[in-house]
């Protein structure tokens, strides 16, 4: 994921807390309708997805078990290498389960591409992906993102779980960082 210049101002609002809440309710409804009568395994990809995950889960009225998957990328973080190391794995078997993977953002798509292959190998009954944010113009692989909250441009975004150098995860909105001139 590309980073902004080190000189930047405070984040400006890109997507307000109200818009997030409204769109997440729509996504939750869609998922609830698609999976009616089924039990799901919801997987949160740490760290960035933790706030989105907790908010959407509270809006999905289905029998759900929650799992947490920790991943970290190798190498130069300014350019996604696609090499992903699992730092926290799921202990429960996923075989024959209906699995939904929740991400905060799909940028190059390399992380999600790795995770889809990793989870498919565990033979779930079905596997779908849900991402709050997606950057269609930055995608480097062709992968399915079944539920998308917002398609955004190339701007570097923070807040609502997303960080820049470890900061801003606690902001209640999605913000963007402008380089200072
Ligand atoms: C972010 C995000 C995705 C990934 C998307 O994670 O949570 O997992 O990058 O980028 P990609 O589509 O280019 O692969 P990050 O590496 O920032 O870690 P974090 O969630 O722990 O902050």
């Amino acid at each position: 994921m590309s980073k902004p210049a080190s000189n930047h101002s405070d984040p400006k609002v890109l997507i307000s807390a109200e818009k997030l809440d409204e769109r997440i309710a729509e996504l939750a409804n869609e998922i609830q309708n698609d999976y009616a009568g089924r039990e799901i395994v919801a997987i949160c990809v740490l760290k960035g997805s933790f706030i989105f995950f907790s908010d959407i889960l509270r809006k999905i009225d289905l029998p759900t078990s929650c799992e947490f998957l920790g991943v970290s990328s190798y190498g130069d973080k300014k350019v996604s290498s696609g090499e992903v190391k699992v730092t926290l794995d799921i202990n429960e078997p996923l075989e024959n389960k209906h699995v939904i993977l929740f991400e905060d953002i799909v940028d190059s798509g390399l992380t999600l591409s790795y995770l889809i292959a990793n989870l498919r190998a565990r033979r779930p009954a079905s596997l779908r992906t849900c991402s709050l944010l997606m950057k269609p113009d930055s995608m480097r692989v062709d992968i399915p993102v079944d539920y998308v909250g917002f398609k955004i441009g190339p701007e570097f975004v923070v807040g609502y779980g997303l960080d820049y150098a470890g900061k801003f995860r606690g902001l209640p909105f999605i913000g963007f960082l402008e380089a200072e001139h």
Side-chain angles (χ1 to χ4, degrees):
M1 186 183 292
S2 61
K3 308 285 188 195
S6 55
N7 288 351
H8 58 76
S9 52
D10 285 339
K12 307 277 187 305
V13 177
L14 181 68
I15 307 170
S16 68
E18 292 72 23
K19 279 191 180 148
L20 287 170
D21 191 56
E22 206 173 286
R23 182 67 187 127
I24 289 167
E26 289 173 2
L27 285 177
N29 252 329
E30 217 180 307
I31 290 171
Q32 197 171 299
N33 291 336
D34 291 352
Y35 287 84
R38 291 182 183 166
E39 195 167 325
I40 60 170
V41 179
I43 299 179
C44 173
V45 182
L46 296 172
K47 294 179 185 173
S49 306
F50 76 106
I51 293 180
F52 171 49
F53 188 71
S54 66
D55 278 352
I56 195 163
L57 228 63
R58 282 178 287 176
K59 297 182 194 299
I60 298 173
D61 186 14
L62 290 173
T64 304
S65 59
C66 300
E67 298 295 338
F68 296 86
L69 190 54
V71 293
S72 81
S73 299
Y74 287 107
D76 181 358
K77 289 287 284 176
K78 288 185 179 174
V79 181
S80 283
S81 65
E83 288 184 78
V84 178
K85 181 183 175 192
V86 173
T87 55
L88 173 70
D89 206 350
I90 297 162
N91 290 322
E92 294 304 311
L94 299 178
E95 193 161 0
N96 297 324
K97 305 275 177 66
H98 295 289
V99 175
I100 308 176
L101 191 65
F102 290 90
E103 262 287 23
D104 52 334
I105 186 164
V106 177
D107 190 326
S108 68
L110 293 170
T111 302
L112 194 60
S113 172
Y114 170 87
L115 290 175
I116 288 172
N118 180 303
L119 295 176
R120 274 190 185 145
R122 305 180 199 207
R123 301 176 178 279
S126 66
L127 174 63
R128 284 190 181 172
T129 55
C130 175
S131 186
L132 177 64
L133 305 173
M134 183 178 180
K135 291 182 172 179
D137 296 339
S138 305
M139 294 279 286
R140 291 165 55 191
V141 282
D142 186 20
I143 46 158
V145 187
D146 301 293
Y147 304 97
V148 177
F150 299 89
K151 291 182 178 169
I152 61 172
E155 55 272 36
F156 190 86
V157 285
V158 296
Y160 199 70
L162 290 92
D163 75 310
Y164 172 55
K167 296 195 323 188
F168 306 123
R169 289 197 200 273
L171 290 177
F173 57 87
I174 297 288
F176 64 100
L177 296 173
E178 281 177 332
E180 278 178 352
H181 300 292

